[in-house]
Structures are given as C-alpha cells and as structure tokens.
Amino acid sequence: MAVSNGVSNGEEMCPYRLVLEHVTSRWGVLVLIELLERPYRFGELRRAIGRVSEKMLTQTLQTLERDGLVHRDAKPVIPPRVDYSLTDLGREAAQQVRGLALWTSERMGEVQKAREAYDMRKAESRT
C-alpha cells in the first residue's frame, strides 16, 4: 500500500501505519474508548483515563484531532472551556478499538495460562 516518492518521511511512505499507530497507542486506545461514552473536558478525560500526564494527553488529543478522529470545541468563555468529542470517523475507529479491548478482557484468562506455560518452559530449559 505504500507508494514511494523518494521521500524518507514515514508518513508519506506509509500513512495508514501512522494512523494505526495513533489509534492503537497506549493513550490513543483509552482516549477513544472514553470518548465513546460522551464528550469530555480535558481534566475530566485525564481523570477518567488515569495515570496519563497532561503533556501526553495533550499530544494524544492533538494527534487524534489531526487525524480527524477527535473534535476540539473551544468555547470563548471565561474561564475557557474546551470539550473533546469523537467525529464520525473517530466513533467508527473507537468502536473497533473497543471490540479489541473487550476481546482482550474476555480472553485474559487464556493469555495468563499461556504466559505461565511459556515461563515454565523457559525456566525448565535453563536448568
């Protein structure tokens, strides 16, 4: 799918990979899933996600906004009010990501068993 135009910039070489990276990043996934529920103000979203720095959340929101997945609505009031919501494209992406998150949650027991079996095999091979 990548089309080379002689430029080494990853975005121009393979733009869909960058969007996939943005959507499936640690914070991108959580932002998209939270915004599926309702629009959030920045502080509310940060508390809902938990353990994300202000800088990282800002970067994630800007990246998702640039990709057309998040809408930033700045209202000219005092104090300033900024709401974040999903665009139609963002809602579609968020539903896909949520499906993967649900699958992960449902299959965590099997994953844990596989990890334990792997760790046992590795420990036995060292002895």
Side-chain angles (χ1 to χ4, degrees), residues 21-72:
E21 185 177 309
H22 300 160
V23 169
T24 61
S25 71
R26 177 181 184 179
W27 303 116
V29 166
L30 298 175
V31 165
L32 290 171
I33 290 173
E34 281 299 325
L35 289 177
L36 258 176
E37 301 303 318
R38 64 178 177 86
Y40 278 88
R41 292 179 73 179
F42 184 88
E44 291 178 308
L45 185 58
R46 187 170 178 213
R47 284 188 297 279
I49 291 171
R51 295 185 10 212
V52 60
S53 70
E54 186 173 321
K55 179 182 176 184
M56 199 66 238
L57 182 56
T58 298
Q59 288 176 350
T60 300
L61 287 166
Q62 288 173 344
T63 298
L64 294 174
E65 182 182 8
R66 182 172 183 253
D67 288 343
L69 305 176
V70 168
H71 174 71
R72 181 180 186 271

Side-chain angles (χ1 to χ4, degrees), residues 2 10 14-24:
C14 211
Y16 78 93
R17 285 187 180 183
L18 282 175
V19 174
L20 182 61
E21 185 177 309
H22 300 160
V23 169
T24 61

Side-chain angles (χ1 to χ4, degrees), residues 117-127:
Y118 176 88
D119 291 346
M120 283 180 53
R121 286 192 309 272
K122 282 294 193 184
E124 290 171 358
S125 69
R126 288 187 210 142
T127 57

